[in-house]
């Protein structure tokens, strides 16, 4: 700005103040300008609380037996409250804290980052295949997975809640067992579980590299505080944190508090401290170990070559663990006829 321009601006302001306009009116004018600037800044930096709830990620996908008129023109066919447009326009993200009080026990919960989206979809298709009606919560560890899921998956006709982690985002790539990023991800698990249990919500946690071949809930003993899968032997010291049911009980809250306090001492993730804590508290609460013939780790499942559909008893759940790397897990599931994503299924994303 030149000197003459500066003087011209000063002259105009002084004219407003002294040539017939009161000081109070001038200050009011400045106040309106300031408020307007703040409102513009706020709308750009984040959504209001109302907008967050408008962007609720609960998707009501079209049921294969009940098609409604709203859905005929949409390839992915889901009813929302303009959720995807809110997400794209304002980048508002719902967290577990926002939806926890609306959930009905028992809830099925899993976590995912973008590198494991195909495994998550396979898990969800396996749930759809057996027609489970429980509330499902998918905690996204990064925004990419949240945004992709918000647009739906072709052929997936179940209802689930999409929430973004409230514990800090993680890497988007598929993580390798034992890596630093892997340990960071799995240590969040106990804190998510605490959110459910502390809120009075029973929760079944499942890793994304799992498939459900039957309804697991009838196998959980009534009144059990903790129901957990084992890996190689039916012992409390050989439990797996990849598939476990927790009742929202006082004893379970004590257990989770103890587990969370031990986590910083576990250099490998969360399972060693879990087995340590369960050794201390497992007998003070009602703990059930799931039958290994029906709830199978990757090692137990691969001990026999009999196709799973021909096994007696037929497995209810299979975990693709004891395999390091995303590719090995997907290969095992496909080779074992445990890959349930239809070939025609693609993400209906406009991002």
């Amino acid at each position: 700005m030149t000197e003459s321009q500066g003087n011209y601006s000063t002259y105009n302001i002084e004219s407003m103040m002294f040539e017939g306009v009161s000081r109070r009116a001038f200050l009011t004018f400045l106040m309106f300008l300031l408020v307007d600037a703040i409102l513009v800044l706020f709308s750009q930096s984040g959504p209001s609380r109302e907008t967050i709830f408008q962007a609720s990620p609960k998707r009501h996908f079209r049921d294969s037996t009940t098609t409604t008129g709203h859905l005929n023109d949409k390839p992915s066919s889901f009813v929302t409250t303009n959720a995807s447009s809110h997400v794209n326009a304002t980048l508002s993200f719902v967290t577990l804290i926002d939806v926890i009080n609306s959930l009905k026990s028992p809830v099925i919960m899993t976590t995912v980052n973008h590198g494991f989206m195909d495994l998550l979809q396979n898990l969800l298709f396996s749930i759809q295949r057996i027609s489970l009606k429980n509330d499902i919560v998918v905690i996204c560890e990064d925004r990419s997975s949240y945004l992709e899921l918000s647009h739906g998956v072709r052929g997936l006709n179940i209802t689930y809640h999409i929430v973004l982690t409230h514990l800090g985002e993680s890497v988007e790539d598929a993580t390798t067992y034992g890596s630093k990023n892997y340990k960071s991800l799995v240590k969040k698990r106990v804190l998510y579980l605490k959110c459910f249990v502390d809120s009075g919500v029973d929760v079944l946690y499942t890793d994304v590299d799992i498939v459900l071949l039957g309804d697991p809930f009838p196998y959980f003993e009534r009144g059990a505080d903790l129901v957990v899968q084992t890996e190689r032997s039916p012992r409390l010291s050989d439990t797996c944190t990849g598939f476990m049911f927790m009742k929202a009980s006082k004893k379970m809250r004590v257990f989770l508090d103890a587990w969370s306090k031990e986590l910083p001492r576990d250099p490998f993730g969360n399972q060693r401290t879990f087995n340590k804590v369960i050794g201390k508290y497992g007998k003070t609460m009602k703990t059930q170990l799931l039958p290994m013939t029906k709830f199978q780790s990757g090692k137990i499942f691969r001990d026999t070559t009999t196709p799973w559909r021909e096994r007696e008893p037929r497995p209810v759940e299979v975990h693709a663990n004891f395999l390091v790397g995303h590719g090995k897990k997907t290969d095992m599931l496909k080779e074992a006829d445990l890959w349930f994503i239809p070939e025609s299924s693609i993400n209906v994303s406009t991002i």
Side-chain angles (χ1 to χ4, degrees):
M1 179 181 291
T2 64
E3 183 178 354
S4 60
Q5 287 175 319
N7 291 338
Y8 180 72
S9 300
T10 303
Y11 172 78
N12 282 339
I13 293 175
E14 289 174 350
S15 297
M16 289 176 63
M17 293 180 62
F18 298 114
E19 293 181 12
V21 181
S22 69
R23 181 183 297 272
R24 178 177 297 177
F26 174 68
L27 292 177
T28 302
F29 170 74
L30 287 182
M31 184 180 298
F32 275 115
L33 287 179
L34 179 61
V35 170
D36 185 67
I38 291 174
L39 288 174
V40 170
L41 179 62
F42 183 79
S43 66
Q44 292 175 345
S45 61
S48 65
R49 188 69 171 176
E50 180 183 0
T51 304
I52 288 177
F53 280 100
Q54 285 177 326
S56 173
K58 186 174 182 180
R59 302 290 186 243
H60 302 279
F61 288 89
R62 178 177 62 190
D63 187 86
S64 57
T65 60
T66 56
T67 303
T68 64
H70 303 290
L71 307 173
N72 294 336
D73 298 328
K74 294 189 177 183
S76 179
S77 296
F78 58 88
V79 179
T80 70
T81 55
N82 295 324
S84 58
S85 62
H86 280 293
V87 170
N88 288 330
T90 66
L91 291 182
S92 59
F93 298 91
V94 176
T95 70
L96 181 59
I97 306 303
D98 295 314
V99 303
I100 192 75
N101 291 326
S102 67
L103 302 174
K104 182 179 179 181
S105 294
V107 170
I108 300 173
M109 184 268 282
T110 191
T111 65
V112 69
N113 69 354
H114 200 260
F116 285 97
M117 287 291 289
D118 55 346
L119 286 169
L120 168 71
Q121 291 178 21
N122 193 53
L123 168 64
L124 293 176
F125 273 107
S126 78
I127 293 174
Q128 173 174 282
R129 177 180 167 274
I130 59 175
S131 302
L132 284 184
K133 302 302 182 184
N134 302 73
D135 276 348
I136 302 170
V137 176
V138 178
I139 301 178
C140 299
E141 296 289 358
D142 55 69
R143 300 187 183 200
S144 295
S145 56
Y146 183 105
L147 291 172
E148 184 170 327
L149 282 172
S150 72
H151 291 275
V153 180
R154 189 186 299 277
L156 190 59
N157 305 314
I158 58 176
T159 300
Y160 56 94
H161 299 261
I162 310 164
V163 298
L164 184 68
T165 178
H166 60 286
L167 300 176
E169 292 182 55
S170 304
V171 294
E172 296 183 4
D173 298 332
T175 54
T176 303
Y177 178 83
S179 67
K180 182 178 179 181
N181 289 329
Y182 169 84
K183 295 172 189 175
S184 174
L185 281 173
V186 299
K187 285 187 176 181
K188 293 180 180 181
R189 188 175 307 166
V190 61
L191 302 179
Y192 296 141
L193 291 168
K194 275 178 60 63
C195 283
F196 286 96
V197 171
D198 289 347
S199 299
V201 179
D202 301 340
V203 57
L204 170 63
Y205 171 79
T206 173
D207 279 350
V208 293
D209 59 342
I210 279 175
V211 292
L212 294 179
L213 305 176
D215 184 350
F217 291 98
Y219 296 90
F220 302 166
E221 295 176 2
R222 179 176 295 182
D225 297 291
L226 174 66
V227 181
V228 64
Q229 180 178 17
T230 55
E231 296 198 315
R232 290 161 292 195
S233 60
R235 295 179 292 117
L236 277 177
S237 59
D238 193 37
T239 54
C240 174
T241 58
F243 189 81
M244 52 189 173
F245 171 80
M246 293 185 171
K247 188 174 182 61
S249 64
K250 181 178 180 180
K251 290 179 179 179
M252 185 49 56
R253 289 195 292 272
V254 171
F255 175 86
L256 286 171
D257 285 341
W259 186 18
S260 63
K261 290 176 182 176
E262 286 288 337
L263 272 181
R265 301 183 181 92
D266 192 339
F268 299 99
N270 64 26
Q271 192 153 305
R272 292 197 179 188
T273 54
F274 180 86
N275 285 326
K276 177 181 178 180
V277 175
I278 205 174
K280 180 177 180 180
Y281 291 92
K283 295 180 180 180
T284 65
M285 57 187 181
K286 187 171 181 179
T287 304
Q288 176 194 357
L289 300 181
L290 289 166
M292 298 175 64
T293 55
K294 288 187 172 291
F295 296 83
Q296 299 185 349
S297 68
K299 183 180 187 308
I300 297 298
F301 180 81
R302 296 195 305 276
D303 278 347
T304 177
T305 58
T306 304
W308 68 267
R309 298 175 192 271
E310 301 174 13
R311 297 187 186 188
E312 289 294 338
R314 182 180 288 187
V316 172
E317 173 262 355
V318 176
H319 192 175
N321 59 351
F322 287 91
L323 292 165
V324 179
H326 171 271
K328 290 183 178 180
K329 292 176 182 289
T330 56
D331 288 346
M332 173 264 183
L333 292 168
K334 291 175 181 178
E335 290 168 5
D337 193 25
L338 294 171
W339 197 254
F340 298 110
I341 302 177
E343 290 186 6
S344 61
S345 176
I346 58 172
N347 286 334
V348 186
S349 175
T350 57
I351 301 171

